[in-house]
Amino acid sequence: MSRINGKAALVTGANRGIGRAFVAGLLKAGAAKVYATARNPQTLDDLVKEGNGKVVALALDVTRPDMIAEAARNADVALLVNNAGIAAFEGLISAKSSEPAREEMETNYFGLLNMVRAFAPVLARNGGGAIINLSSIAGQVNFPALGSYSVSKAAVHSLTQGIRAELSGQGTQVLGVYPGPVDTDMAANLPMDKTPPSAVVDNILQALEAGEESVYPDPASQELHGGLLADPLAVERQVGQMLPG
């Protein structure tokens, strides 16, 4: 049974990058309705217009539990895509303060945790459904140029494992996603080859439909994942040369 075709989905951080690509990809895969969320829903006007009645814009700041609760009351979905995230591009020691790390954890980890807690009962009412969590390959090996971001995404990886176990009883598929550099505004200043968001989303949705629990949706993440399996310390030394600057 498809996790997408004929189903309703909600995408956080849908106003740009991978989030926008998710909205398009879900519609292409036959989603009946996509709730596209952003802090400013006006940034979603074009998605709503192009969605031919299948895209509903919702105001949502994932650091606001009250807004999350409101979204869970209004969006009856079988698929939750936890995409919203921020990156400070700071080191752990070289940052001027720990505040950027705190902000990343509030959005990337606590925001995602609160989304899952709010929507787990919704998914249960819809037969279990599925959750897609956007972590990062940087959550499996710390990139010093993204030191605190890497820590927040490592927390997402562990959270994904935990909720997969807790929600297995209600039949919820939980897919952890570990992309490398993707061609988005967030990664604009990273001097790396980047994969288009649409290609990343296509690979993620294929993994979802195949019933997989983790996916490395681009060549860079696949290469690093292979290296981590073979010699994790060698990969750590390799990415450790990318110091914050």
Side-chain angles (χ1 to χ4, degrees):
M1 182 180 296
S2 174
R3 292 293 194 186
I4 305 169
N5 188 42
K7 307 293 176 57
L10 183 143
V11 180
T12 64
N15 57 314
R16 62 178 185 170
I18 297 176
R20 292 181 72 88
F22 260 118
V23 175
L26 288 166
L27 292 176
K28 180 181 176 183
K33 181 181 292 186
V34 179
Y35 293 92
T37 78
R39 292 180 179 181
N40 179 3
Q42 291 182 342
T43 61
L44 304 166
D45 286 349
D46 58 332
L47 288 176
V48 173
K49 183 177 180 180
E50 295 165 6
N52 296 317
K54 292 186 176 182
V55 177
V56 177
L58 291 180
L60 178 60
D61 179 343
V62 298
T63 68
R64 293 266 308 272
D66 59 327
M67 296 185 76
I68 291 175
E70 181 72 11
R73 285 191 292 268
N74 292 327
D76 187 24
V77 300
L79 173 61
L80 172 64
V81 181
N82 287 311
N83 164 75
I86 61 172
F89 294 93
E90 298 274 10
L92 293 166
I93 308 302
S94 59
K96 294 180 180 179
S97 76
S98 62
E99 192 57 30
R102 188 180 302 277
E103 292 175 354
E104 285 169 322
M105 289 297 290
E106 284 293 336
T107 298
N108 300 348
Y109 172 72
F110 286 106
L112 193 155
L113 172 61
N114 287 333
M115 286 293 296
V116 171
R117 288 174 58 87
F119 276 90
V122 179
L123 299 178
R125 292 196 298 268
N126 286 299
I131 298 171
I132 297 174
N133 285 344
L134 269 289
S135 180
S136 170
I137 194 64
Q140 298 190 358
V141 58
N142 191 289
F143 284 67
L146 292 159
S148 54
Y149 172 84
S150 296
V151 171
S152 73
K153 290 300 188 177
V156 171
H157 170 58
S158 184
L159 179 152
T160 298
Q161 293 176 315
I163 64 170
R164 184 181 292 130
E166 286 198 51
L167 298 181
S168 62
Q170 69 176 42
T172 300
Q173 178 186 350
V174 179
L175 177 62
V177 183
Y178 305 93
V182 182
D183 193 10
T184 65
D185 292 344
M186 183 183 289
N189 294 323
L190 290 179
M192 301 176 175
D193 292 334
K194 300 161 194 168
T195 302
S198 58
V200 168
V201 167
D202 284 347
N203 289 335
I204 294 169
L205 296 182
Q206 288 174 22
L208 178 73
E209 293 287 53
E212 296 179 16
E213 295 182 333
S214 63
V215 59
Y216 300 83
D218 58 276
S221 66
Q222 292 161 13
E223 181 180 353
L224 280 170
H225 177 59
L228 287 167
L229 293 176
D231 190 343
L233 287 178
V235 176
E236 180 182 335
R237 288 190 291 269
Q238 174 190 346
V239 302
Q241 298 172 14
M242 301 173 59
L243 294 172

